[in-house]
Amino acid sequence: MKQFMWVLGITLLFCPMAMASEVAISTQANWWTQAAADREMQEIADKVKDISVELFSSDEQDDLAEWVIAHTGDGAPDLLILCGQCPDTIYPAGNTLPDGSLVELFLDDGNCIINTGDWIFYIVNGAGTNGTAALPNIMDISSMEMWDDDTPVTVTAEGKQYTPSLKDFSTDRAIHLDLLENDWYAELILALADDGNRAEPVILRNAVTDGRIGVFFQTASQDNDPRGEVISEWINNWFIQFVAVDNPNARAPDPKDGALHESTWVTLRWRAGDLAVSHNVYLGDHFDAVNEATTESDTFRGNQTTAYYVAGFPG
């Protein structure tokens, strides 16, 4: 059987539409019950309306890794929420890949990761096999840690503005602001201890990569913390308003980029750019010919409103 590899190019026509940034939630919990995590994360999915939210359970960690890969380099700042467990599909257990893990590449691409539950990145598959090394590895701050127990924090003015359901509480794993270095700084402090140093909830930002890390209710055995409500408010009132953006690029091709399709025909699919109302489709067997093509070129296959194209002939 003869093998074919096609090169597909898509250009877009634009109109104002919805935001491109998306949210993935790994619901696997630690330091609070799974039932509570399922309830609170579903609340986020229900209350966040202007941005896509997708839930991944503990037996869907391979799918979560595919989501992380697809949203690294897609041109939009996306959000990953963890519930106290760090799936080993995105950061191998025991810190066996201290640099270049999927979660670090995702973060360094200008995306955001927040955690609610046990110490962020510490726990994987129910055991503390990552320990205190994972956070320093991922942030590239050798001294980064967050040892704390029952530290009272007071809601800040920004906390009242963006997360009105957040009340003063005691955190067990706050961010120590004096440990931040290597271009990291506190972008948004929602609650702060009296010492002015320990913050949680808080969003940290890297001034070079635009990556963000946040922690919300890193508390032990507190199933009634209003995690879903507060995180939903933060997403709706702050993340969507100040971080999420339109992504004009077509993405998520099927078959995947670089795939070899061993047949005489194929239905090519893609996810449309968020501002697209139609697509100019180009198809050829040489990248440069497609990349530099115009509507006058032999590779031009027409303008269409659908996000798929059937190429070749059966048989």
Side-chain angles (χ1 to χ4, degrees), residues 106-131:
F106 176 80
L107 180 66
D108 290 347
D109 185 51
N111 296 303
C112 181
I113 305 170
I114 68 170
N115 180 71
T116 180
D118 203 351
W119 180 321
I120 186 170
F121 309 130
Y122 192 109
I123 302 293
V124 59
N125 297 337
T129 52
N130 292 342

mmCIF file with all atom_site columns, all heavy atoms in Angstrom, residues 106-131:
data_model
loop_
_atom_site.group_PDB
_atom_site.id
_atom_site.type_symbol
_atom_site.label_atom_id
_atom_site.label_alt_id
_atom_site.label_comp_id
_atom_site.label_asym_id
_atom_site.label_entity_id
_atom_site.label_seq_id
_atom_site.pdbx_PDB_ins_code
_atom_site.Cartn_x
_atom_site.Cartn_y
_atom_site.Cartn_z
_atom_site.occupancy
_atom_site.B_iso_or_equiv
_atom_site.pdbx_formal_charge
_atom_site.auth_seq_id
_atom_site.auth_comp_id
_atom_site.auth_asym_id
_atom_site.auth_atom_id
_atom_site.pdbx_PDB_model_num
ATOM 1   N N   . PHE A 1 106 ? 4.760  23.127 30.509 1.00 0.00 ? 106 PHE A N   1
ATOM 2   C CA  . PHE A 1 106 ? 3.466  23.803 30.497 1.00 0.00 ? 106 PHE A CA  1
ATOM 3   C C   . PHE A 1 106 ? 3.559  25.136 31.234 1.00 0.00 ? 106 PHE A C   1
ATOM 4   O O   . PHE A 1 106 ? 3.094  26.175 30.757 1.00 0.00 ? 106 PHE A O   1
ATOM 5   C CB  . PHE A 1 106 ? 2.428  22.882 31.141 1.00 0.00 ? 106 PHE A CB  1
ATOM 6   C CG  . PHE A 1 106 ? 1.048  23.468 31.283 1.00 0.00 ? 106 PHE A CG  1
ATOM 7   C CD1 . PHE A 1 106 ? 0.174  23.495 30.205 1.00 0.00 ? 106 PHE A CD1 1
ATOM 8   C CD2 . PHE A 1 106 ? 0.618  23.956 32.511 1.00 0.00 ? 106 PHE A CD2 1
ATOM 9   C CE1 . PHE A 1 106 ? -1.117 24.011 30.348 1.00 0.00 ? 106 PHE A CE1 1
ATOM 10  C CE2 . PHE A 1 106 ? -0.657 24.482 32.658 1.00 0.00 ? 106 PHE A CE2 1
ATOM 11  C CZ  . PHE A 1 106 ? -1.531 24.506 31.577 1.00 0.00 ? 106 PHE A CZ  1
ATOM 12  N N   . LEU A 1 107 ? 4.177  25.122 32.406 1.00 0.00 ? 107 LEU A N   1
ATOM 13  C CA  . LEU A 1 107 ? 4.321  26.334 33.205 1.00 0.00 ? 107 LEU A CA  1
ATOM 14  C C   . LEU A 1 107 ? 5.183  27.367 32.486 1.00 0.00 ? 107 LEU A C   1
ATOM 15  O O   . LEU A 1 107 ? 4.820  28.550 32.401 1.00 0.00 ? 107 LEU A O   1
ATOM 16  C CB  . LEU A 1 107 ? 4.933  25.984 34.560 1.00 0.00 ? 107 LEU A CB  1
ATOM 17  C CG  . LEU A 1 107 ? 5.165  27.142 35.524 1.00 0.00 ? 107 LEU A CG  1
ATOM 18  C CD1 . LEU A 1 107 ? 3.845  27.748 35.975 1.00 0.00 ? 107 LEU A CD1 1
ATOM 19  C CD2 . LEU A 1 107 ? 5.975  26.672 36.732 1.00 0.00 ? 107 LEU A CD2 1
ATOM 20  N N   . ASP A 1 108 ? 6.312  26.931 31.950 1.00 0.00 ? 108 ASP A N   1
ATOM 21  C CA  . ASP A 1 108 ? 7.241  27.854 31.290 1.00 0.00 ? 108 ASP A CA  1
ATOM 22  C C   . ASP A 1 108 ? 6.702  28.392 29.980 1.00 0.00 ? 108 ASP A C   1
ATOM 23  O O   . ASP A 1 108 ? 7.264  29.338 29.413 1.00 0.00 ? 108 ASP A O   1
ATOM 24  C CB  . ASP A 1 108 ? 8.594  27.171 31.060 1.00 0.00 ? 108 ASP A CB  1
ATOM 25  C CG  . ASP A 1 108 ? 9.361  26.935 32.353 1.00 0.00 ? 108 ASP A CG  1
ATOM 26  O OD1 . ASP A 1 108 ? 8.963  27.514 33.378 1.00 0.00 ? 108 ASP A OD1 1
ATOM 27  O OD2 . ASP A 1 108 ? 10.347 26.166 32.337 1.00 0.00 ? 108 ASP A OD2 1
ATOM 28  N N   . ASP A 1 109 ? 5.618  27.795 29.478 1.00 0.00 ? 109 ASP A N   1
ATOM 29  C CA  . ASP A 1 109 ? 4.976  28.288 28.261 1.00 0.00 ? 109 ASP A CA  1
ATOM 30  C C   . ASP A 1 109 ? 4.027  29.453 28.548 1.00 0.00 ? 109 ASP A C   1
ATOM 31  O O   . ASP A 1 109 ? 3.362  29.950 27.652 1.00 0.00 ? 109 ASP A O   1
ATOM 32  C CB  . ASP A 1 109 ? 4.217  27.144 27.586 1.00 0.00 ? 109 ASP A CB  1
ATOM 33  C CG  . ASP A 1 109 ? 3.625  27.536 26.251 1.00 0.00 ? 109 ASP A CG  1
ATOM 34  O OD1 . ASP A 1 109 ? 4.365  28.079 25.409 1.00 0.00 ? 109 ASP A OD1 1
ATOM 35  O OD2 . ASP A 1 109 ? 2.422  27.314 26.044 1.00 0.00 ? 109 ASP A OD2 1
ATOM 36  N N   . GLY A 1 110 ? 3.988  29.887 29.803 1.00 0.00 ? 110 GLY A N   1
ATOM 37  C CA  . GLY A 1 110 ? 3.134  31.005 30.160 1.00 0.00 ? 110 GLY A CA  1
ATOM 38  C C   . GLY A 1 110 ? 1.768  30.605 30.647 1.00 0.00 ? 110 GLY A C   1
ATOM 39  O O   . GLY A 1 110 ? 0.830  31.420 30.658 1.00 0.00 ? 110 GLY A O   1
ATOM 40  N N   . ASN A 1 111 ? 1.624  29.358 31.083 1.00 0.00 ? 111 ASN A N   1
ATOM 41  C CA  . ASN A 1 111 ? 0.356  28.868 31.616 1.00 0.00 ? 111 ASN A CA  1
ATOM 42  C C   . ASN A 1 111 ? 0.321  28.970 33.132 1.00 0.00 ? 111 ASN A C   1
ATOM 43  O O   . ASN A 1 111 ? 1.303  29.348 33.770 1.00 0.00 ? 111 ASN A O   1
ATOM 44  C CB  . ASN A 1 111 ? 0.137  27.431 31.152 1.00 0.00 ? 111 ASN A CB  1
ATOM 45  C CG  . ASN A 1 111 ? 0.003  27.334 29.647 1.00 0.00 ? 111 ASN A CG  1
ATOM 46  O OD1 . ASN A 1 111 ? -0.861 27.965 29.050 1.00 0.00 ? 111 ASN A OD1 1
ATOM 47  N ND2 . ASN A 1 111 ? 0.873  26.555 29.009 1.00 0.00 ? 111 ASN A ND2 1
ATOM 48  N N   . CYS A 1 112 ? -0.805 28.603 33.716 1.00 0.00 ? 112 CYS A N   1
ATOM 49  C CA  . CYS A 1 112 ? -1.020 28.751 35.158 1.00 0.00 ? 112 CYS A CA  1
ATOM 50  C C   . CYS A 1 112 ? -1.380 27.402 35.782 1.00 0.00 ? 112 CYS A C   1
ATOM 51  O O   . CYS A 1 112 ? -2.161 26.634 35.207 1.00 0.00 ? 112 CYS A O   1
ATOM 52  C CB  . CYS A 1 112 ? -2.142 29.761 35.407 1.00 0.00 ? 112 CYS A CB  1
ATOM 53  S SG  . CYS A 1 112 ? -2.500 30.069 37.155 1.00 0.00 ? 112 CYS A SG  1
ATOM 54  N N   . ILE A 1 113 ? -0.800 27.124 36.960 1.00 0.00 ? 113 ILE A N   1
ATOM 55  C CA  . ILE A 1 113 ? -1.114 25.916 37.725 1.00 0.00 ? 113 ILE A CA  1
ATOM 56  C C   . ILE A 1 113 ? -1.483 26.343 39.139 1.00 0.00 ? 113 ILE A C   1
ATOM 57  O O   . ILE A 1 113 ? -0.714 27.069 39.790 1.00 0.00 ? 113 ILE A O   1
ATOM 58  C CB  . ILE A 1 113 ? 0.080  24.943 37.784 1.00 0.00 ? 113 ILE A CB  1
ATOM 59  C CG1 . ILE A 1 113 ? 0.576  24.602 36.380 1.00 0.00 ? 113 ILE A CG1 1
ATOM 60  C CG2 . ILE A 1 113 ? -0.308 23.671 38.538 1.00 0.00 ? 113 ILE A CG2 1
ATOM 61  C CD1 . ILE A 1 113 ? 1.897  23.852 36.367 1.00 0.00 ? 113 ILE A CD1 1
ATOM 62  N N   . ILE A 1 114 ? -2.639 25.906 39.622 1.00 0.00 ? 114 ILE A N   1
ATOM 63  C CA  . ILE A 1 114 ? -2.995 26.162 41.009 1.00 0.00 ? 114 ILE A CA  1
ATOM 64  C C   . ILE A 1 114 ? -3.289 24.839 41.696 1.00 0.00 ? 114 ILE A C   1
ATOM 65  O O   . ILE A 1 114 ? -3.601 23.836 41.052 1.00 0.00 ? 114 ILE A O   1
ATOM 66  C CB  . ILE A 1 114 ? -4.188 27.125 41.153 1.00 0.00 ? 114 ILE A CB  1
ATOM 67  C CG1 . ILE A 1 114 ? -5.484 26.477 40.656 1.00 0.00 ? 114 ILE A CG1 1
ATOM 68  C CG2 . ILE A 1 114 ? -3.921 28.442 40.432 1.00 0.00 ? 114 ILE A CG2 1
ATOM 69  C CD1 . ILE A 1 114 ? -6.722 27.275 41.001 1.00 0.00 ? 114 ILE A CD1 1
ATOM 70  N N   . ASN A 1 115 ? -3.191 24.841 43.016 1.00 0.00 ? 115 ASN A N   1
ATOM 71  C CA  . ASN A 1 115 ? -3.386 23.626 43.803 1.00 0.00 ? 115 ASN A CA  1
ATOM 72  C C   . ASN A 1 115 ? -4.260 23.924 45.010 1.00 0.00 ? 115 ASN A C   1
ATOM 73  O O   . ASN A 1 115 ? -4.152 24.994 45.638 1.00 0.00 ? 115 ASN A O   1
ATOM 74  C CB  . ASN A 1 115 ? -2.033 23.096 44.277 1.00 0.00 ? 115 ASN A CB  1
ATOM 75  C CG  . ASN A 1 115 ? -2.169 21.823 45.111 1.00 0.00 ? 115 ASN A CG  1
ATOM 76  O OD1 . ASN A 1 115 ? -2.494 20.772 44.589 1.00 0.00 ? 115 ASN A OD1 1
ATOM 77  N ND2 . ASN A 1 115 ? -1.905 21.935 46.409 1.00 0.00 ? 115 ASN A ND2 1
ATOM 78  N N   . THR A 1 116 ? -5.129 22.960 45.346 1.00 0.00 ? 116 THR A N   1
ATOM 79  C CA  . THR A 1 116 ? -5.894 23.020 46.580 1.00 0.00 ? 116 THR A CA  1
ATOM 80  C C   . THR A 1 116 ? -5.821 21.654 47.236 1.00 0.00 ? 116 THR A C   1
ATOM 81  O O   . THR A 1 116 ? -6.112 20.636 46.612 1.00 0.00 ? 116 THR A O   1
ATOM 82  C CB  . THR A 1 116 ? -7.356 23.454 46.320 1.00 0.00 ? 116 THR A CB  1
ATOM 83  O OG1 . THR A 1 116 ? -8.063 23.506 47.549 1.00 0.00 ? 116 THR A OG1 1
ATOM 84  C CG2 . THR A 1 116 ? -8.065 22.525 45.355 1.00 0.00 ? 116 THR A CG2 1
ATOM 85  N N   . GLY A 1 117 ? -5.397 21.605 48.478 1.00 0.00 ? 117 GLY A N   1
ATOM 86  C CA  . GLY A 1 117 ? -5.152 20.333 49.145 1.00 0.00 ? 117 GLY A CA  1
ATOM 87  C C   . GLY A 1 117 ? -3.756 20.327 49.721 1.00 0.00 ? 117 GLY A C   1
ATOM 88  O O   . GLY A 1 117 ? -3.277 21.329 50.237 1.00 0.00 ? 117 GLY A O   1
ATOM 89  N N   . ASP A 1 118 ? -3.079 19.196 49.625 1.00 0.00 ? 118 ASP A N   1
ATOM 90  C CA  . ASP A 1 118 ? -1.725 19.092 50.170 1.00 0.00 ? 118 ASP A CA  1
ATOM 91  C C   . ASP A 1 118 ? -0.754 19.929 49.340 1.00 0.00 ? 118 ASP A C   1
ATOM 92  O O   . ASP A 1 118 ? -1.040 20.340 48.224 1.00 0.00 ? 118 ASP A O   1
ATOM 93  C CB  . ASP A 1 118 ? -1.290 17.628 50.189 1.00 0.00 ? 118 ASP A CB  1
ATOM 94  C CG  . ASP A 1 118 ? -0.192 17.355 51.214 1.00 0.00 ? 118 ASP A CG  1
ATOM 95  O OD1 . ASP A 1 118 ? 0.337  18.325 51.783 1.00 0.00 ? 118 ASP A OD1 1
ATOM 96  O OD2 . ASP A 1 118 ? 0.117  16.180 51.436 1.00 0.00 ? 118 ASP A OD2 1
ATOM 97  N N   . TRP A 1 119 ? 0.409  20.170 49.904 1.00 0.00 ? 119 TRP A N   1
ATOM 98  C CA  . TRP A 1 119 ? 1.524  20.918 49.323 1.00 0.00 ? 119 TRP A CA  1
ATOM 99  C C   . TRP A 1 119 ? 1.633  20.661 47.819 1.00 0.00 ? 119 TRP A C   1
ATOM 100 O O   . TRP A 1 119 ? 1.749  19.524 47.378 1.00 0.00 ? 119 TRP A O   1
ATOM 101 C CB  . TRP A 1 119 ? 2.778  20.470 50.052 1.00 0.00 ? 119 TRP A CB  1
ATOM 102 C CG  . TRP A 1 119 ? 4.096  21.054 49.694 1.00 0.00 ? 119 TRP A CG  1
ATOM 103 C CD1 . TRP A 1 119 ? 4.571  21.366 48.461 1.00 0.00 ? 119 TRP A CD1 1
ATOM 104 C CD2 . TRP A 1 119 ? 5.150  21.340 50.609 1.00 0.00 ? 119 TRP A CD2 1
ATOM 105 N NE1 . TRP A 1 119 ? 5.853  21.838 48.539 1.00 0.00 ? 119 TRP A NE1 1
ATOM 106 C CE2 . TRP A 1 119 ? 6.232  21.828 49.854 1.00 0.00 ? 119 TRP A CE2 1
ATOM 107 C CE3 . TRP A 1 119 ? 5.295  21.218 51.991 1.00 0.00 ? 119 TRP A CE3 1
ATOM 108 C CZ2 . TRP A 1 119 ? 7.446  22.207 50.434 1.00 0.00 ? 119 TRP A CZ2 1
ATOM 109 C CZ3 . TRP A 1 119 ? 6.493  21.596 52.566 1.00 0.00 ? 119 TRP A CZ3 1
ATOM 110 C CH2 . TRP A 1 119 ? 7.546  22.082 51.789 1.00 0.00 ? 119 TRP A CH2 1
ATOM 111 N N   . ILE A 1 120 ? 1.629  21.696 47.008 1.00 0.00 ? 120 ILE A N   1
ATOM 112 C CA  . ILE A 1 120 ? 1.626  21.578 45.561 1.00 0.00 ? 120 ILE A CA  1
ATOM 113 C C   . ILE A 1 120 ? 2.823  20.768 45.063 1.00 0.00 ? 120 ILE A C   1
ATOM 114 O O   . ILE A 1 120 ? 3.958  21.011 45.460 1.00 0.00 ? 120 ILE A O   1
ATOM 115 C CB  . ILE A 1 120 ? 1.582  22.979 44.901 1.00 0.00 ? 120 ILE A CB  1
ATOM 116 C CG1 . ILE A 1 120 ? 1.434  22.857 43.382 1.00 0.00 ? 120 ILE A CG1 1
ATOM 117 C CG2 . ILE A 1 120 ? 2.784  23.828 45.279 1.00 0.00 ? 120 ILE A CG2 1
ATOM 118 C CD1 . ILE A 1 120 ? 1.138  24.178 42.682 1.00 0.00 ? 120 ILE A CD1 1
ATOM 119 N N   . PHE A 1 121 ? 2.538  19.759 44.231 1.00 0.00 ? 121 PHE A N   1
ATOM 120 C CA  . PHE A 1 121 ? 3.494  18.847 43.596 1.00 0.00 ? 121 PHE A CA  1
ATOM 121 C C   . PHE A 1 121 ? 4.134  17.846 44.558 1.00 0.00 ? 121 PHE A C   1
ATOM 122 O O   . PHE A 1 121 ? 4.894  16.985 44.122 1.00 0.00 ? 121 PHE A O   1
ATOM 123 C CB  . PHE A 1 121 ? 4.623  19.610 42.876 1.00 0.00 ? 121 PHE A CB  1
ATOM 124 C CG  . PHE A 1 121 ? 4.171  20.679 41.943 1.00 0.00 ? 121 PHE A CG  1
ATOM 125 C CD1 . PHE A 1 121 ? 4.716  21.962 42.000 1.00 0.00 ? 121 PHE A CD1 1
ATOM 126 C CD2 . PHE A 1 121 ? 3.192  20.424 40.991 1.00 0.00 ? 121 PHE A CD2 1
ATOM 127 C CE1 . PHE A 1 121 ? 4.305  22.954 41.126 1.00 0.00 ? 121 PHE A CE1 1
ATOM 128 C CE2 . PHE A 1 121 ? 2.770  21.418 40.103 1.00 0.00 ? 121 PHE A CE2 1
ATOM 129 C CZ  . PHE A 1 121 ? 3.339  22.697 40.182 1.00 0.00 ? 121 PHE A CZ  1
ATOM 130 N N   . TYR A 1 122 ? 3.843  17.893 45.874 1.00 0.00 ? 122 TYR A N   1
ATOM 131 C CA  . TYR A 1 122 ? 4.497  17.045 46.873 1.00 0.00 ? 122 TYR A CA  1
ATOM 132 C C   . TYR A 1 122 ? 4.058  15.585 46.746 1.00 0.00 ? 122 TYR A C   1
ATOM 133 O O   . TYR A 1 122 ? 4.866  14.667 46.810 1.00 0.00 ? 122 TYR A O   1
ATOM 134 C CB  . TYR A 1 122 ? 4.153  17.585 48.261 1.00 0.00 ? 122 TYR A CB  1
ATOM 135 C CG  . TYR A 1 122 ? 4.940  17.031 49.429 1.00 0.00 ? 122 TYR A CG  1
ATOM 136 C CD1 . TYR A 1 122 ? 5.871  17.825 50.096 1.00 0.00 ? 122 TYR A CD1 1
ATOM 137 C CD2 . TYR A 1 122 ? 4.726  15.738 49.913 1.00 0.00 ? 122 TYR A CD2 1
ATOM 138 C CE1 . TYR A 1 122 ? 6.571  17.346 51.196 1.00 0.00 ? 122 TYR A CE1 1
ATOM 139 C CE2 . TYR A 1 122 ? 5.425  15.253 50.996 1.00 0.00 ? 122 TYR A CE2 1
ATOM 140 C CZ  . TYR A 1 122 ? 6.348  16.055 51.637 1.00 0.00 ? 122 TYR A CZ  1
ATOM 141 O OH  . TYR A 1 122 ? 7.044  15.571 52.713 1.00 0.00 ? 122 TYR A OH  1
ATOM 142 N N   . ILE A 1 123 ? 2.763  15.387 46.579 1.00 0.00 ? 123 ILE A N   1
ATOM 143 C CA  . ILE A 1 123 ? 2.164  14.048 46.625 1.00 0.00 ? 123 ILE A CA  1
ATOM 144 C C   . ILE A 1 123 ? 1.872  13.539 45.220 1.00 0.00 ? 123 ILE A C   1
ATOM 145 O O   . ILE A 1 123 ? 1.381  14.275 44.365 1.00 0.00 ? 123 ILE A O   1
ATOM 146 C CB  . ILE A 1 123 ? 0.854  14.063 47.435 1.00 0.00 ? 123 ILE A CB  1
ATOM 147 C CG1 . ILE A 1 123 ? 1.101  14.561 48.865 1.00 0.00 ? 123 ILE A CG1 1
ATOM 148 C CG2 . ILE A 1 123 ? 0.199  12.697 47.451 1.00 0.00 ? 123 ILE A CG2 1
ATOM 149 C CD1 . ILE A 1 123 ? 1.936  13.636 49.700 1.00 0.00 ? 123 ILE A CD1 1
ATOM 150 N N   . VAL A 1 124 ? 2.179  12.276 44.972 1.00 0.00 ? 124 VAL A N   1
ATOM 151 C CA  . VAL A 1 124 ? 1.826  11.641 43.704 1.00 0.00 ? 124 VAL A CA  1
ATOM 152 C C   . VAL A 1 124 ? 1.329  10.224 44.003 1.00 0.00 ? 124 VAL A C   1
ATOM 153 O O   . VAL A 1 124 ? 1.938  9.496  44.780 1.00 0.00 ? 124 VAL A O   1
ATOM 154 C CB  . VAL A 1 124 ? 3.018  11.620 42.722 1.00 0.00 ? 124 VAL A CB  1
ATOM 155 C CG1 . VAL A 1 124 ? 4.207  10.890 43.296 1.00 0.00 ? 124 VAL A CG1 1
ATOM 156 C CG2 . VAL A 1 124 ? 2.619  10.990 41.403 1.00 0.00 ? 124 VAL A CG2 1
ATOM 157 N N   . ASN A 1 125 ? 0.176  9.879  43.417 1.00 0.00 ? 125 ASN A N   1
ATOM 158 C CA  . ASN A 1 125 ? -0.409 8.548  43.599 1.00 0.00 ? 125 ASN A CA  1
ATOM 159 C C   . ASN A 1 125 ? -0.559 8.175  45.074 1.00 0.00 ? 125 ASN A C   1
ATOM 160 O O   . ASN A 1 125 ? -0.311 7.039  45.473 1.00 0.00 ? 125 ASN A O   1
ATOM 161 C CB  . ASN A 1 125 ? 0.421  7.492  42.868 1.00 0.00 ? 125 ASN A CB  1
ATOM 162 C CG  . ASN A 1 125 ? 0.437  7.713  41.363 1.00 0.00 ? 125 ASN A CG  1
ATOM 163 O OD1 . ASN A 1 125 ? -0.459 8.342  40.815 1.00 0.00 ? 125 ASN A OD1 1
ATOM 164 N ND2 . ASN A 1 125 ? 1.455  7.209  40.705 1.00 0.00 ? 125 ASN A ND2 1
ATOM 165 N N   . GLY A 1 126 ? -0.935 9.130  45.872 1.00 0.00 ? 126 GLY A N   1
ATOM 166 C CA  . GLY A 1 126 ? -1.215 8.877  47.276 1.00 0.00 ? 126 GLY A CA  1
ATOM 167 C C   . GLY A 1 126 ? -0.011 8.802  48.180 1.00 0.00 ? 126 GLY A C   1
ATOM 168 O O   . GLY A 1 126 ? -0.149 8.536  49.377 1.00 0.00 ? 126 GLY A O   1
ATOM 169 N N   . ALA A 1 127 ? 1.185  9.025  47.666 1.00 0.00 ? 127 ALA A N   1
ATOM 170 C CA  . ALA A 1 127 ? 2.395  8.948  48.492 1.00 0.00 ? 127 ALA A CA  1
ATOM 171 C C   . ALA A 1 127 ? 3.262  10.183 48.247 1.00 0.00 ? 127 ALA A C   1
ATOM 172 O O   . ALA A 1 127 ? 3.259  10.763 47.170 1.00 0.00 ? 127 ALA A O   1
ATOM 173 C CB  . ALA A 1 127 ? 3.186  7.686  48.168 1.00 0.00 ? 127 ALA A CB  1
ATOM 174 N N   . GLY A 1 128 ? 4.012  10.563 49.274 1.00 0.00 ? 128 GLY A N   1
ATOM 175 C CA  . GLY A 1 128 ? 4.841  11.749 49.173 1.00 0.00 ? 128 GLY A CA  1
ATOM 176 C C   . GLY A 1 128 ? 6.164  11.505 48.486 1.00 0.00 ? 128 GLY A C   1
ATOM 177 O O   . GLY A 1 128 ? 7.214  11.946 48.960 1.00 0.00 ? 128 GLY A O   1
ATOM 178 N N   . THR A 1 129 ? 6.134  10.809 47.357 1.00 0.00 ? 129 THR A N   1
ATOM 179 C CA  . THR A 1 129 ? 7.377  10.421 46.702 1.00 0.00 ? 129 THR A CA  1
ATOM 180 C C   . THR A 1 129 ? 8.096  11.587 46.031 1.00 0.00 ? 129 THR A C   1
ATOM 181 O O   . THR A 1 129 ? 9.280  11.500 45.735 1.00 0.00 ? 129 THR A O   1
ATOM 182 C CB  . THR A 1 129 ? 7.119  9.319  45.660 1.00 0.00 ? 129 THR A CB  1
ATOM 183 O OG1 . THR A 1 129 ? 6.061  9.758  44.792 1.00 0.00 ? 129 THR A OG1 1
ATOM 184 C CG2 . THR A 1 129 ? 6.702  8.030  46.345 1.00 0.00 ? 129 THR A CG2 1
ATOM 185 N N   . ASN A 1 130 ? 7.370  12.670 45.757 1.00 0.00 ? 130 ASN A N   1
ATOM 186 C CA  . ASN A 1 130 ? 8.039  13.856 45.231 1.00 0.00 ? 130 ASN A CA  1
ATOM 187 C C   . ASN A 1 130 ? 8.644  14.686 46.343 1.00 0.00 ? 130 ASN A C   1
ATOM 188 O O   . ASN A 1 130 ? 9.711  15.285 46.187 1.00 0.00 ? 130 ASN A O   1
ATOM 189 C CB  . ASN A 1 130 ? 7.064  14.723 44.428 1.00 0.00 ? 130 ASN A CB  1
ATOM 190 C CG  . ASN A 1 130 ? 6.614  14.052 43.146 1.00 0.00 ? 130 ASN A CG  1
ATOM 191 O OD1 . ASN A 1 130 ? 7.248  13.110 42.676 1.00 0.00 ? 130 ASN A OD1 1
ATOM 192 N ND2 . ASN A 1 130 ? 5.520  14.537 42.583 1.00 0.00 ? 130 ASN A ND2 1
ATOM 193 N N   . GLY A 1 131 ? 7.940  14.747 47.471 1.00 0.00 ? 131 GLY A N   1
ATOM 194 C CA  . GLY A 1 131 ? 8.443  15.471 48.628 1.00 0.00 ? 131 GLY A CA  1
ATOM 195 C C   . GLY A 1 131 ? 8.660  16.946 48.349 1.00 0.00 ? 131 GLY A C   1
ATOM 196 O O   . GLY A 1 131 ? 8.004  17.558 47.502 1.00 0.00 ? 131 GLY A O   1
#
